[in-house]
Amino acid sequence: MSAAADVLSAICLLLGAALSLAAGIGLLRFPDLLSRMHAASKPQVLGLLLILTGVGLRLRTGIDVTTLVLVAIFQLMTAPVAAHMVARAAYRTRRVRRDLLIVDELSERLDEATASSRDDDAERGRD
Amino acid sequence: MPSRVRRIRRRVAGAWILQPLTGVWLVVLWLLLWGRVSLGLTASGIVVAALVMLAFPLAPIAVEGRPRPLPALRFGVRFAGDVLLASVQVAWLAVRPGPEPETAVIAVPLRTRSDLMLTLVAEALGLVPGSMVVEVDRRARTLYLHLIGVRDRAAVERERLKVHALEARMIRAFGSPDDRAALARDEEDR
């Protein structure tokens, strides 16, 4: 029983480490900030979950496992928000390799938004 | 101003459930931090939860849907599968030899009218690799996503459909009657 758990734990740890390595390589190789956020936030999340599972299978005591569960929950809750904040700031400060974008439906929208908020201001001025 | 008052009241429909949910979550969090359950720990957890909720009250948001177990399970399983598959895809993009992967920023108008659902969909998309939320237009209910590894226009359209499918699964699992009606109308139009 415990041998099986150890094997499973080793598999989880190795897979998790491989995904984290891929995330690190992506961080180096991807061309711009937005692409890098993909590598930093996604394979890394699954990699961390696998490593936590592996560690949990090795430790097998109540208090350690509950701590690992908490780490997993907070990672899942915060990673998308953090990625979004960085991505939003990156896009708005134009740190995007435009030559790699095959479609960009946001830039048109932002131009419109700037124009319409100017209209809103003008209307408010009239009231 | 009666219509304005009504709108504000309608917007926080169902918000009462957030207080007890937050309280229970905080107590569970407390117990997880301690790593064991006892009467004293539960009691102290309730006190801490009450203090935290008094000190940091959350803004009321409308909770109009009720979770349905079977669609929720379906959503969960598909979501886990998506995360697995896409993690491997992005990992492969990172290590494969060849040119820099192409990217795209697309607008995806959602069918839901609920703030909570918009947040949940954005959060779920943030966890599925290959898509990242760059901008949220709350008024137009539109998410702007950054995609990686999309080779052409057809791939972009496939991603758009995938986002809609995820939203549909989520509405079926947690959505309000309004959202489900909007979803049904939209799917009839297609």
Side-chain angles (χ1 to χ4, degrees):
Chain A
M1 183 59 218
S2 91
D6 282 349
V7 171
L8 205 61
S9 156
I11 293 173
C12 285
L13 286 173
L14 283 173
L15 282 178
L19 276 174
S20 303
L21 176 66
I25 295 175
L27 216 50
L28 277 173
R29 284 194 65 208
F30 281 157
D32 64 350
L33 199 153
L34 284 171
S35 306
R36 284 179 178 156
M37 287 309 295
H38 283 282
S41 67
K42 311 304 169 55
Q44 188 268 119
V45 168
L46 185 61
L48 180 74
L49 290 184
L50 283 169
I51 287 177
L52 292 175
T53 313
V55 171
L57 284 170
R58 283 284 293 158
L59 293 173
R60 278 172 261 166
T61 52
I63 179 149
D64 298 320
V65 173
T66 54
T67 309
L68 297 178
V69 169
L70 280 180
V71 174
I73 290 175
F74 279 110
Q75 176 77 14
L76 288 176
M77 285 196 318
T78 54
V81 182
H84 164 64
M85 294 315 286
V86 175
R88 185 170 190 267
Y91 191 92
R92 295 214 160 205
T93 49
R94 316 232 157 237
R95 284 189 171 63
V96 183
R97 281 270 302 275
R98 303 217 162 252
D99 54 309
L100 292 169
L101 281 175
I102 58 172
V103 187
D104 185 358
E105 292 169 359
L106 180 55
S107 66
E108 305 150 28
R109 171 69 185 71
L110 282 182
D111 293 343
E112 269 171 44
T114 323
S116 81
S117 77
R118 226 177 282 132
D119 292 348
D120 282 355
D121 288 346
E123 255 170 55
R124 232 170 277 137
R126 270 203 302 279
D127 283 346
Chain B
M1 282 268 177
S3 70
R4 195 189 152 88
V5 171
R6 245 202 320 276
R7 200 176 68 221
I8 290 168
R9 205 172 290 150
R10 198 178 58 221
R11 258 184 51 199
V12 293
W16 60 270
I17 198 160
L18 289 175
Q19 292 275 351
L21 271 183
T22 314
V24 170
W25 158 240
L26 286 172
V27 173
V28 170
L29 182 62
W30 180 256
L31 293 175
L32 282 175
L33 279 171
W34 281 94
R36 57 201 161 86
V37 182
S38 75
L39 208 63
L41 278 178
T42 313
S44 57
I46 290 171
V47 172
V48 172
L51 287 177
V52 168
M53 285 164 68
L54 282 175
F56 308 101
L58 289 172
I61 49 166
V63 185
E64 287 154 318
R66 295 282 171 275
R68 274 168 292 277
L70 221 67
L73 185 72
R74 245 186 81 192
F75 170 79
V77 171
R78 267 304 291 270
F79 181 68
D82 283 351
V83 170
L84 268 172
L85 182 71
S87 291
V88 174
Q89 281 170 350
V90 173
W92 168 242
L93 272 181
V95 295
R96 65 149 198 205
E100 295 162 328
E102 268 114 354
T103 60
V105 176
I106 64 166
V108 185
L110 298 181
R111 277 79 53 102
T112 177
R113 290 279 150 261
S114 128
D115 283 341
L116 185 62
M117 191 56 73
L118 184 72
T119 314
L120 288 176
V121 172
E123 181 99 353
L125 285 169
L127 283 172
V128 176
S131 61
M132 192 164 51
V133 181
V134 178
E135 189 71 61
V136 181
D137 185 339
R138 180 172 168 236
R139 220 186 298 167
R141 303 285 159 192
T142 301
L143 294 178
Y144 292 89
L145 301 176
H146 183 262
L147 307 173
I148 191 165
V150 280
R151 230 162 284 150
D152 46 28
R153 283 270 174 177
V156 168
E157 294 312 315
R158 273 201 300 280
E159 291 296 322
R160 216 191 295 270
L161 286 180
K162 269 202 232 160
V163 174
H164 269 154
L166 183 137
E167 188 210 6
R169 279 197 297 277
M170 193 168 251
I171 288 180
R172 288 202 188 96
F174 310 107
S176 66
D178 281 357
D179 280 349
R180 270 179 293 154
L183 181 67
R185 268 199 307 280
D186 187 70
E187 285 182 346
E188 255 170 47
D189 291 347
R190 265 147 219 265

